[in-house]
């Protein structure tokens, strides 16, 4: 069997099973553990798997949930860098809430083997994390928005009203001096309920979203604790956030080992977030997650 054929067989098995043990893969492929480890390293570098003690989890696209297929453009490395930076803000044992945006999905791929309690309204995120034995997964119910594969509506909002989490992670379609925006009015009420459920809210938005306004406003800049973006952000936005309560973090996509850096030149640490403002009304208009 050629190297390419072996790696494709390994990929198909991990994708189908969700998780595969190292010994299981050596038996199926008829090769040594060192060969399997090299193959898994290649699969992980491609962003389709994450190795853990004794095996590997599938973190690539699902064959049945294809929401983000076709959206991987030149900006995808920025989303991956933001996901890596955001993962550093999560402590083992945390209870977190993840929305349905593509940047948040990149974060979800990095926490698949960590001991966490995760609440989500995203079918792709739920499908991904359901493969993990270490994650206690709670899925928000409601009507499914087909374009974004998220649950919305009165049932989702009622469930969110009874949930409390340490951190909520949101993707947005636009950021201006007025605040954060999304493009589908049917989702904003649910997103605001997500903000109200959290002690701390972290917005994940690549630099292309800054300066863009979308159909409906989610909240103001000071209504979240932290914004994680990439290092290509224009300096004027760094200056804008100097006067905001929300902390700005920059993440570089130059290589996979790069750590997130603070927007402030004098600091590269990630200090604890203060409790967020509770001024967001749950009766305001709806909007949608950005892909």
């Amino acid at each position: 069997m050629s190297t390419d054929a072996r790696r494709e067989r390994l990929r198909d098995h991990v994708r189908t099973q969700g998780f595969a043990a190292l010994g299981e893969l050596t038996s199926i492929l008829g090769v040594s553990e060192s060969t399997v480890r090299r193959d898994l390293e290649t699969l992980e570098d491609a962003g389709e798997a994450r190795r853990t003690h004794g095996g590997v989890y599938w973190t690539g696209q699902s064959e049945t949930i294809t929401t983000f297929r076709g959206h991987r453009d030149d900006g995808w490395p920025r989303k991956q860098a933001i996901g890596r930076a955001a993962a550093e803000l999560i402590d083992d044992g945390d209870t977190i809430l993840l929305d349905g945006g593509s940047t948040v999905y990149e974060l979800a791929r990095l926490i698949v083997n960590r001991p966490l309690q995760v609440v989500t309204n995203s079918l792709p995120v739920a499908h991904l994390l359901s493969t993990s034995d270490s994650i206690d997964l709670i899925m928000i119910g409601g009507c499914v928005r087909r374009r974004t594969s998220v649950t919305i509506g009165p049932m989702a909002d009622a469930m969110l009203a009874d949930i409390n989490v340490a951190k909520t992670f949101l993707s947005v379609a636009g950021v201006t001096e007025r605040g954060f925006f999304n493009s589908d009015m049917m989702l904003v009420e649910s997103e605001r309920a997500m903000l109200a459920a959290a002690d701390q809210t972290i917005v994940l938005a690549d630099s292309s979203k800054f300066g863009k306004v979308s159909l409906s406003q989610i909240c103001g800049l000071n209504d979240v604790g932290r914004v994680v973006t990439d290092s290509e952000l224009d300096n004027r936005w760094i200056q804008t956030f100097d006067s905001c309560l929300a902390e700005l973090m920059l993440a570089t996509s130059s290589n996979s080992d790069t750590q997130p850096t603070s927007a402030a030149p004098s600091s590269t640490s990630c200090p604890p977030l203060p409790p967020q403002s509770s001024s967001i009304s749950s009766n305001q208009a709806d909007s949608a997650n950005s892909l």
Side-chain angles (χ1 to χ4, degrees):
M1 183 186 301
S2 69
T3 299
D4 288 344
R6 184 185 67 244
R7 288 178 175 175
E8 186 61 27
R9 185 176 179 186
L10 179 147
R11 178 185 180 278
D12 287 344
H13 183 78
V14 176
R15 175 184 55 78
T16 301
Q17 299 300 317
F19 174 84
L22 185 61
E24 173 188 355
L25 293 171
T26 60
S27 177
I28 291 171
L29 300 173
V31 295
S32 66
E33 283 193 5
S34 60
T35 298
V36 170
R37 290 181 192 278
R38 286 194 297 271
D39 291 347
L40 291 178
E41 183 177 5
T42 300
L43 193 63
E44 188 173 42
D45 288 345
E48 294 190 311
R50 184 168 181 82
R51 290 175 291 174
T52 185
H53 180 69
V56 60
Y57 286 99
W58 176 255
T59 60
Q61 285 295 328
S62 162
E63 292 299 317
T64 57
I65 302 178
T66 58
T67 299
F68 303 132
R69 185 169 295 167
H71 289 275
R72 298 198 172 206
D73 53 22
D74 293 340
W76 209 265
R78 296 197 297 264
K79 296 176 185 288
Q80 292 176 316
I82 293 168
R84 289 193 297 271
E88 296 294 326
L89 303 176
I90 300 174
D91 300 316
D92 286 351
D94 267 351
T95 298
I96 64 173
L97 196 157
L98 305 180
D99 82 345
S102 59
T103 309
V104 173
Y105 185 82
E106 287 303 308
L107 166 61
R109 285 157 54 109
L110 298 174
I111 62 170
V112 72
N113 65 335
R114 292 181 59 181
L116 299 166
Q117 191 170 51
V118 180
V119 181
T120 187
N121 70 330
S122 166
L123 296 183
V125 168
H127 186 269
L128 170 67
L129 298 183
S130 66
T131 65
S132 174
D133 292 331
S134 64
I135 294 216
D136 182 10
L137 180 66
I138 298 95
M139 181 72 197
I140 299 295
C143 300
V144 176
R145 174 71 81 194
R146 280 189 234 174
R147 185 176 67 85
T148 52
S149 293
V150 295
T151 55
I152 58 172
M155 185 183 297
D157 297 343
M159 187 171 179
L160 285 164
D162 290 330
I163 284 175
N164 300 283
V165 298
K167 299 167 182 120
T168 284
F169 292 86
L170 293 180
S171 293
V172 298
V175 184
T176 75
E177 290 84 352
R178 292 165 51 201
F180 304 99
F181 298 81
N182 265 329
S183 56
D184 185 339
M185 292 184 67
M186 294 300 293
L187 257 177
V188 163
E189 192 165 337
S190 293
E191 289 189 314
R192 287 175 179 152
M194 292 177 185
L195 298 181
D199 293 332
Q200 305 160 359
T201 295
I202 301 101
V203 169
L204 309 185
D206 68 76
S207 55
S208 70
K209 305 293 177 59
F210 285 73
K212 292 184 178 179
V213 68
S214 199
L215 184 63
S216 198
Q217 184 176 3
I218 304 169
C219 63
L221 296 182
N222 290 326
D223 290 324
V224 305
R226 181 173 278 153
V227 178
V228 185
T229 186
D230 60 83
S231 57
E232 296 180 31
L233 185 69
D234 189 277
N235 189 62
R236 78 177 184 90
W237 288 107
I238 297 175
Q239 295 173 348
T240 296
F241 275 86
D242 282 344
S243 60
C244 292
L245 297 177
E247 180 187 355
L248 185 68
M249 273 184 66
L250 303 183
T252 178
S253 57
S254 59
N255 64 69
S256 60
D257 297 324
T258 303
Q259 296 297 316
T261 60
S262 168
S266 61
S267 173
T268 58
S269 63
C270 303
L273 295 173
Q276 68 190 45
S277 168
S278 59
S279 62
I280 303 167
S281 169
S282 62
N283 294 322
Q284 299 176 16
D286 298 286
S287 153
N289 284 338
S290 166
L291 293 179

